[in-house]
Each structure stands twice: as C-alpha cells, then as structure tokens.
Amino acid sequence: MKNNPKQKNSLKHVLFGSLIGTTIEFFDFYIYANAAVLVFPQLFFPGSDSTMATLESLATFSIAFLSRPLGSAFFGHYGDKIGRKFTLVAALLTMGISTVAIGFLPGYASIGVAAPLLLMLCRFGQGVGLGGEWGGAVLLAIENAPPDKRAWYGMFPQLGAPIGLLLSGGTFLILTDTMTNENFMDYGWRIPFIASSLLVVVGFYIRTKITETPSFENAKKEQEEVKVPFFTLTKSYRNQLIFGTLAAVTTFLVFYLMTVFTLSWITSDLGITKRNALLVQLFSVLFFALLIPVSAVVADKIGRRKMLIIATIAIALFGFSFSYFLSAANMVLITTFACIGMALMGFTYGPLGTFLSELFPTNVRYSGASLTFNLAGILGAAFAPMIAIWLASTYGLSYVGFYLTGAAVISLVSFLVVSKKVHQF
C-alpha cells in the first residue's frame, strides 16, 4: 500500500470534524455519568436505601460499556466495507437519539419498573453509538495525517473527552446553581439531555462535508477489502486484539475512578456538596485537556508505545496514594488528587488512539481499533465505579488504589508483548 497518499480533506475539516463528533458523543456520555450519581438513584430507584440506589444506578451506567463492542463490531464492519464517512454519521445519530430520549423519560413514580427499563434501553443505544463513533473519528484524523505527526492528529478526537466532560459538568453546575433542588430533580436535569439535540445537528452538518479518507480509498482501489472484518481480526490479528485491549484497560479505569467513583465518594461519604464536587471535577479536567496535546507531541518524538509505557508506570505508582488523598473532607487534598489523576489520564489518553490504530492494516482498522478500545471499556470501566465503591466500603480506600495499580501492571505487560509491527497508512 502506498504510504502518505494525497490528502483530499482540508486540515480544518479533518481536525474539527473528528473533534466535534467525539465532543458531542462524550458530552452525551458524561451527562449520563453525572446524572447516574446525582439524579437517577432518587428518580429511577427510589425504593432502595441510598447506597443500593447508587449501585443500581451505576449498574445502568455500565450497560453502555457492554453495548459498545456491539457498536464497534456493527459500525466497524461497515466502516471497513463502505467507508468512514457514512458510518460516522450513522453512529452520531444513534448516540444523539438515545440521549435525547432520556430527557423525556418519566420516573419510577409515574410508570413504575418500566422507567428503569426504558432508561437501560436508552443507555444501551448510547453505548452502541459511541462504540461506532470513537474508532471512526480517530481514523478520520490519523488516516489524513503525515507520518511524523500521526499522534498529533490522533489526539484531536481524544480532546473530545475533556471538552465533553467540561461541557457536561459545567451544565450541571449551572443548573444546580440557578435552580432549587426540587426544580432540578423535577425537570432541570432533563435540560442537557434534550439540548444535546442541537449539538447533534451541528455535528451532522459538519460530518456530511467530509470526504472519505485517502487510506481507505487506496485500500479499496487496490482491492484489499475483506469479506467479514471481524473474522479476519480474530484469525490473523489475535495478538493485537487481545493485548491491545488489555493495554487500554488502565486508561478507562483511571478515568472512571477519577470521575464517577470520586464524585460519588466525596459527596456521599465525605459530605462534600455537589457544587464543590463538580467544581473540583471541572478544574481537574483542565489538566486532562492540557496533557493530551503534550503527550501527543512527546509520542511523535519518542514513539507511541514508549510514551504509553511511561504513563502506565506513573499510574501504577499513583494507585498507592488513594487513602492519603481521599480519607478526609480536605478540599486541598481532594483537588490535588483529582488534578494529578486527570493529568495522568491525559498522558495515557493522548497517544492511545494512534497506537491502537497502528496495530491494524487499513482494511480492518476501523473494526480493530474500535473493538480493542471498547472491549477495554468493559474490562476497565463497565463495573469499575461499583467495584471501587464496594472495595472502599468493605476494605478501605487503599484497596481502590491497589485495584488501579493491579490493572496498570496488566497494561504494562501488554504494551511489552503486543505486536510491534506498525502498519502502513
């Protein structure tokens, strides 16, 4: 395959098109995460005690991680068969419709058990949409990138995560500041879910202006298409699929420990107000956003694998600090903890999309990168908040940190043993 083909998309369309989609998708994903801690336990699971209601709410949160690989397989199949552009638009609409629908759901008091069941259905749709979105957005960026700037291009869709988190957290902060708790619980929480429809329209318009990536067009021209990408992956790229997945596990775990678990722990167990907890989260996300481009620049200089190994070792060491930072309602310690954790998240997240994409050739890259990323989501995030809450309440905070350190060791070994071949673009 010819390397570095002629670029058809403008730099502006490539980078903004990849960024806007993931920003919308992660905004939709994270407003659910905030609501799962702050709203849904009371609204959809009111018959349980507070701890059980939170665990039940977080169980619905995990559904999206279970459905994300389905989205990866489905959208990845068509992304590798008919192209990146159409698949990206379809994934965006799937996520958007599911999110808006949540904003109109009645609570348990109105329709009983049907309320949490409908919530789970919508959450399933969110997962399917995001499962197809992430891989396509990353490929849109890196398949248009010069070889020496692949991590730099690949970090733009990654920036959608902190931007989406800032938008979602900021929205909830504004709502809780400007509304009474009664009004917020009654209808205020619905506003960000319904308002996300405006973002989807913008993203849809931008995505329709993007042409197909040169790498995909070259692969199609040279008749490198495979009949069923999933079967080709499991047969010929098993090493990349297994160890790529395990390598990405820590990225998911550290993020959801720093957001969902920390938000739940400091509000429920340390007595920090929801407003202060959201402020801490929003401030720490700035470190997440800042370190993504920094890590991408470094990764282009020293290599994606080496950068990720360094970041994973740092996360493993960070795991030993949980009990020191989160044992008391000390805002300085809590804020420092959140900022360090989010900075480490930026270090590992920036080059990850490029690294996973380089494990696979063009004709199975959409499926391969998406599946490794989203299977890692199941292992590293689907049940992470629930496991962490159980560990903290049963054995103490130190064991939550040990949980993170253990995952980092697994990822570190996986980075060392995964195939070192980088496929051409």
Side-chain angles (χ1 to χ4, degrees):
M1 185 183 298
K2 295 176 183 177
N3 199 19
N4 198 21
K6 183 179 178 181
Q7 182 173 309
K8 288 188 174 183
N9 291 304
S10 69
L11 180 63
K12 176 182 70 175
H13 278 143
V14 168
L15 299 184
F16 190 59
S18 62
L19 173 62
I20 187 66
T22 52
T23 297
I24 295 167
E25 300 279 3
F26 281 109
F27 170 77
D28 289 356
F29 208 70
Y30 295 150
I31 56 176
Y32 191 100
N34 282 328
V37 173
L38 304 176
V39 179
F40 293 164
Q42 300 96 309
L43 189 65
F44 290 96
F45 307 97
S48 308
D49 62 69
S50 59
T51 300
M52 184 56 65
T54 298
L55 289 174
E56 290 172 346
S57 178
L58 291 176
T60 69
F61 175 78
S62 70
I63 289 172
F65 292 98
L66 300 178
S67 63
R68 277 167 71 160
L70 296 178
S72 299
F74 178 78
F75 288 113
H77 175 85
Y78 289 103
D80 285 326
K81 295 282 286 183
I82 65 176
R84 299 3 180 170
K85 176 181 175 177
F86 170 81
T87 310
L88 277 169
V89 171
L92 181 67
L93 291 177
T94 302
M95 181 75 168
I97 292 169
S98 300
T99 301
V100 173
I102 293 173
F104 291 100
L105 288 181
Y108 187 92
S110 299
I111 59 173
V113 73
L117 290 177
L118 288 172
L119 180 67
M120 288 187 282
L121 179 63
C122 292
R123 184 60 174 167
F124 180 88
Q126 279 193 314
V128 170
L130 187 55
E133 161 66 29
W134 179 86
V138 170
L139 297 194
L140 174 64
I142 66 175
E143 287 187 347
N144 282 283
D148 60 338
K149 291 187 177 179
R150 204 167 283 146
W152 176 254
Y153 274 57
M155 72 88 186
F156 276 87
Q158 303 295 73
L159 276 175
I163 294 173
L165 186 55
L166 281 169
L167 291 174
S168 63
T171 301
F172 270 89
L173 182 62
I174 292 170
L175 291 172
T176 54
D177 270 358
T178 57
M179 305 179 74
T180 65
N181 186 62
E182 184 180 45
N183 287 339
F184 175 74
M185 295 298 295
D186 184 32
Y187 66 88
W189 68 270
R190 301 177 185 275
I191 294 173
F193 287 92
I194 297 171
S196 69
S197 60
L198 301 176
L199 295 175
V200 172
V201 171
V202 173
F204 178 81
Y205 173 77
I206 293 170
R207 287 280 171 84
T208 58
K209 298 296 181 182
I210 297 170
T211 61
E212 195 52 76
T213 69
S215 294
F216 178 80
E217 289 191 340
N218 276 349
K220 196 168 185 179
K221 193 179 299 181
E222 296 176 16
Q223 298 184 328
E224 295 182 350
E225 180 182 308
V226 297
K227 193 170 183 180
V228 183
F230 179 78
F231 291 156
T232 303
L233 280 172
T234 55
K235 180 181 178 181
S236 303
Y237 300 97
R238 196 176 296 115
N239 172 283
Q240 292 91 328
L241 199 58
I242 294 173
F243 292 108
T245 295
L246 295 175
V249 162
T250 300
T251 299
F252 279 93
L253 181 56
V254 69
F255 180 78
Y256 285 99
L257 290 183
M258 300 312 303
T259 52
V260 180
F261 166 73
T262 300
L263 183 63
S264 176
W265 179 261
I266 66 177
T267 54
S268 301
D269 292 79
L270 298 184
I272 304 297
T273 64
K274 292 178 182 178
R275 184 180 188 280
N276 285 341
L278 286 170
L279 283 172
V280 169
Q281 187 178 84
L282 288 174
F283 182 66
S284 68
V285 171
L286 297 177
F287 291 82
F288 179 21
L290 178 64
L291 272 298
I292 286 177
V294 171
S295 66
V297 171
V298 175
D300 275 331
K301 291 184 180 298
I302 69 172
R304 268 69 82 179
R305 184 191 305 268
K306 187 178 292 185
M307 177 71 237
L308 287 165
I309 286 173
I310 293 170
T312 304
I313 292 172
I315 291 170
L317 296 174
F318 175 67
F320 294 106
S321 69
F322 272 61
S323 62
Y324 174 76
F325 285 108
L326 294 181
S327 292
N330 184 316
M331 289 302 296
V332 174
L333 289 178
I334 291 171
T335 304
T336 302
F337 171 81
C339 292
I340 294 173
M342 282 300 199
L344 291 173
M345 176 62 194
F347 265 124
T348 188
Y349 198 61
L352 183 66
T354 305
F355 173 80
L356 294 179
S357 300
E358 289 175 334
L359 294 176
F360 305 96
T362 303
N363 56 1
V364 294
R365 185 173 293 134
Y366 200 133
S367 300
S370 296
L371 278 169
T372 51
F373 185 77
N374 290 303
L375 287 172
I378 291 181
L379 298 177
F383 304 103
M386 290 187 293
I387 292 172
I389 289 172
W390 176 77
L391 286 172
S393 58
T394 306
Y395 299 104
L397 279 167
S398 295
Y399 283 82
V400 180
F402 299 156
Y403 175 33
L404 177 60
T405 299
V409 171
I410 293 172
S411 291
L412 179 61
V413 172
S414 300
F415 279 122
L416 296 173
V417 301
V418 72
S419 172
K420 293 179 172 58
K421 180 179 180 181
V422 175
H423 291 274
Q424 290 185 328
F425 281 69

